Amino acid sequence: MGRTPILDALLEYIKEENSPFSMPGNKSGRGFMNSDRRKDIREVLLRGDITEVDGLDNLHHPEGIIKEAQEMLSRFYGSNKSYFLVNGSTSGNLAMIFSAFDEGDKVLVERNCHRSIFNGIIMRKLKPVYIKNYINKNYNAPISIDMEHFLQVLEDNADIKGIILTYPNYYGITPDLKFIAGVCREKEIKVLVDCAHGAHFGISQELPENPMKLGADMAVMSAHKTLPSLTQTAYLHIGKDVNEEMVDFYVSAFTSTSPSYILMAMMDYARHYLESRGREVFENCIKAAEQLRRKISLLKVFHAITEEDIRKENPQWNIRADRTRLVINVEKGYNAHSILHYLRSSGVQCEMSDGFNLILILSPFNNDEDYEKLIHALESCPTDSFKNDYFPVYAGSLPEQAYLPWQAAKMKHIKASIEGSAGLISAVNIVPYPPGIPIVMMGEVIDKEAADMIQYYISNGVTVLGIEGHKIYTIG
């Protein structure tokens, strides 16, 4: 029998029966198998791979069932119009950027944005002005944008056309979006929100609010990250003051001409599930997460971060946390990357580690067995085997910008060693993935702090985009 590497590896992984605390939200299909529509879903997954046939409408020009489903989605999230995205949140982020801005526009950009946002900025030839993140030194993690820096940048740049925010970040933390949107509205600044990890927001008062209810002009949500849907499914929502025709064009431009009906059916189902059962199941998920936090914080070395931990340093801002997300902080002197690998070997699949925190994504489809396996693995963890020296991995300041990103992308590139890169200008975005927060953007000067951070991530086995064989492309 011929070898099929991907199929073989996937089958092998499935056999391991790991407890899934990572994406997707359906938890390896549990969200479908436990559904009252499981027979219908199984039938669609096996036989629903078809094209635009009579009676099934056309995603690029919806007039029938797709239009109806998107209108139901819009009503649920409170948008002026909503779209199904079969190319993931990446296509939605690109559609937002291209429809909202013209070449040369100056935009505020949270440094914590996803790489697709930065790619869109390059492709649209925008002038980014970056907003610093506020770093919680107790947990060595980015909590939210630095609000004082945000207000100062607004004051210093009267020609800002828009702001692009992440809501929530990888740690499940949201900035004070209502305040930010209000300030931006007064200045006629467009508010674009990458809400990839927040498709369940607003379903309960125990969760952060849906960004469309807080004043966002546009928001992208990944259905697959927290809802019972398939990977690559996402939603785009727009407000009443957005140019709908431009959004229609760019959504179509960044969408496959052969959109999957299987993916669209799953997005429709995810909305239905959230609308019919969402509040109940997510509040149960929050209760389970709270119990885990209490148990974990009784263990040596580990502390499960709470929303109260996050808010107490900046009580003047309405910073919220997704209480279904579990962020486990590891005491200074211990290596969370190594503990992440240990948990995986113990059958617990986490979403990511930043070296100091373990991030786990819970959904209604995790169960008691998953939780018990996680607690047992942490209780049994040989933490003394995972000690290392403390090293802060989030820069305290923003790098100097020598060229705009799109200018740097077109310049001649040469390779330099990481050790000898300090003082050179990066020709690429250097991004540890996960969490996808850039250390240096193309066109920025690499300083010693950045070079040291790159070395730290690589030495801990983290994939660093932009690095090839311990070499960095710089501008020659």
Side-chain angles (χ1 to χ4, degrees):
M1 182 170 64
R3 179 161 162 72
T4 52
I6 298 174
L7 180 60
D8 295 343
L10 193 56
L11 288 169
E12 191 64 32
Y13 177 81
I14 292 170
K15 290 177 185 177
E16 293 176 3
E17 296 186 353
N18 291 301
S19 289
F21 292 102
S22 59
M23 296 182 286
N26 69 62
K27 302 302 177 185
S28 298
R30 294 181 190 174
F32 309 130
M33 290 183 285
N34 297 334
S35 168
D36 58 355
R37 300 289 300 275
R38 57 187 176 275
K39 291 183 179 179
D40 298 332
I41 291 171
R42 185 184 297 115
E43 186 78 3
V44 165
L45 290 176
L46 292 174
R47 303 184 61 191
D49 188 20
I50 55 179
T51 57
E52 295 86 351
V53 296
D54 288 346
L56 289 185
D57 208 1
N58 188 319
L59 180 61
H60 288 269
H61 187 65
E63 296 178 306
I65 57 168
I66 297 175
K67 181 181 179 182
E68 179 186 4
Q70 291 188 151
E71 287 174 347
M72 295 172 75
L73 180 68
S74 176
R75 285 194 297 272
F76 178 68
Y77 281 102
S79 70
N80 194 57
K81 185 174 182 178
S82 294
Y83 302 80
F84 288 146
L85 304 173
V86 296
N87 293 66
S89 282
T90 291
S91 65
N93 285 336
L94 295 176
M96 282 201 304
I97 289 171
F98 272 74
S99 60
F101 305 125
D102 296 322
E103 287 190 8
D105 280 352
K106 185 186 285 187
V107 295
L108 290 182
V109 186
E110 180 181 353
R111 194 71 178 184
N112 208 17
C113 281
H114 187 264
R115 61 184 297 219
S116 60
I117 297 290
F118 297 118
N119 289 340
I121 287 168
I122 294 166
M123 294 163 63
R124 196 52 164 164
K125 296 185 177 180
L126 301 178
K127 297 177 181 177
V129 179
Y130 297 112
I131 309 169
K132 290 192 295 186
N133 286 111
Y134 175 80
I135 308 298
N136 184 302
K137 293 181 180 178
N138 290 327
Y139 308 122
N140 200 28
I143 298 306
S144 180
I145 66 170
D146 186 318
M147 294 295 285
E148 281 72 25
H149 186 241
F150 159 69
L151 293 171
Q152 186 62 55
V153 171
L154 270 187
E155 186 176 328
D156 295 342
N157 295 269
D159 53 346
I160 293 291
K161 301 295 185 183
I163 182 171
I164 307 172
L165 294 169
T166 304
Y167 177 99
N169 62 17
Y170 245 115
Y171 301 82
I173 302 168
T174 63
D176 192 343
L177 181 57
K178 185 176 181 179
F179 173 82
I180 294 169
V183 172
C184 290
R185 190 178 301 109
E186 292 175 359
K187 298 178 179 291
E188 298 184 348
I189 293 173
K190 298 171 184 174
V191 180
L192 277 56
V193 179
D194 179 354
C195 187
H197 286 262
H200 59 304
F201 282 5
I203 197 64
S204 166
Q205 291 184 347
E206 297 185 51
L207 292 167
E209 182 57 277
N210 157 18
M212 299 307 295
K213 300 288 182 65
L214 297 177
D217 292 298
M218 308 174 76
V220 170
M221 300 174 177
S222 286
H224 76 266
K225 284 183 169 63
T226 58
L227 304 183
S229 191
L230 293 176
T231 297
Q232 210 169 304
T233 57
Y235 307 133
L236 169 61
H237 311 291
I238 64 173
K240 59 183 175 59
D241 296 324
V242 173
N243 186 330
E244 185 179 314
E245 289 184 2
M246 291 297 293
V247 180
D248 287 348
F249 172 78
Y250 282 112
V251 167
S252 182
F254 289 113
T255 296
S256 167
T257 55
S258 300
S260 166
Y261 276 88
I262 296 174
L263 297 184
M264 286 188 279
M266 293 302 98
M267 283 186 272
D268 194 23
Y269 170 74
R271 185 272 313 157
H272 162 74
Y273 182 87
L274 196 59
E275 193 167 13
S276 59
R277 298 194 58 199
R279 180 176 177 179
E280 171 197 356
V281 297
F282 273 97
E283 288 185 351
N284 287 338
C285 183
I286 289 169
K287 289 177 183 176
E290 296 293 356
Q291 290 178 353
L292 286 174
R293 275 187 272 274
R294 287 193 290 271
K295 291 180 180 179
I296 291 167
S297 293
L298 293 174
L299 303 176
K300 292 181 179 179
V301 177
F302 303 111
H303 172 70
I305 301 173
T306 66
E307 186 173 62
E308 290 70 28
D309 291 333
I310 298 303
R311 294 177 65 119
K312 65 185 178 183
E313 286 200 12
N314 295 276
Q316 70 274 34
W317 304 115
N318 188 27
I319 296 172
R320 296 288 309 274
D322 179 357
R323 294 170 64 193
T324 69
R325 186 146 308 195
L326 188 59
V327 181
I328 305 173
N329 179 254
V330 178
E331 278 185 14
K332 290 180 181 178
Y334 294 88
N335 190 324
H337 289 309
S338 298
I339 296 173
L340 177 81
H341 296 309
Y342 158 78
L343 289 174
R344 285 176 178 168
S345 69
S346 301
V348 176
Q349 180 68 44
C350 302
E351 177 64 23
M352 59 161 275
S353 163
D354 60 12
F356 303 91
N357 301 281
L358 301 161
I359 290 83
L360 293 79
I361 299 177
L362 277 61
S363 91
F365 310 112
N366 284 111
N367 55 38
D368 290 343
E369 183 180 345
D370 295 333
Y371 305 143
E372 291 168 5
K373 185 182 287 189
L374 170 63
I375 294 298
H376 176 73
L378 291 174
E379 288 175 336
S380 306
C381 181
T383 51
D384 286 346
S385 302
F386 303 134
K387 289 186 175 181
N388 72 345
D389 295 329
Y390 175 78
F391 182 85
V393 290
Y394 290 108
S397 59
L398 297 175
E400 175 190 351
Q401 187 179 79
Y403 300 102
L404 292 173
W406 70 267
Q407 293 171 329
K410 299 176 69 173
M411 293 180 172
K412 181 182 178 181
H413 300 172
I414 59 173
K415 283 186 178 181
S417 67
I418 298 172
E419 298 85 351
S421 64
L424 301 179
I425 300 170
S426 180
V428 293
N429 298 334
I430 303 175
V431 187
Y433 206 85
I437 302 168
I439 298 173
V440 180
M441 298 297 297
M442 62 175 65
E444 292 181 340
V445 178
I446 305 167
D447 58 21
K448 186 178 184 304
E449 181 184 30
D452 289 344
M453 281 193 287
I454 295 166
Q455 289 276 34
Y456 171 84
Y457 276 112
I458 291 175
S459 66
N460 280 278
V462 178
T463 299
V464 181
L465 305 178
I467 303 297
E468 291 187 13
H470 291 266
K471 297 285 186 178
I472 301 174
Y473 280 101
T474 60
I475 293 175

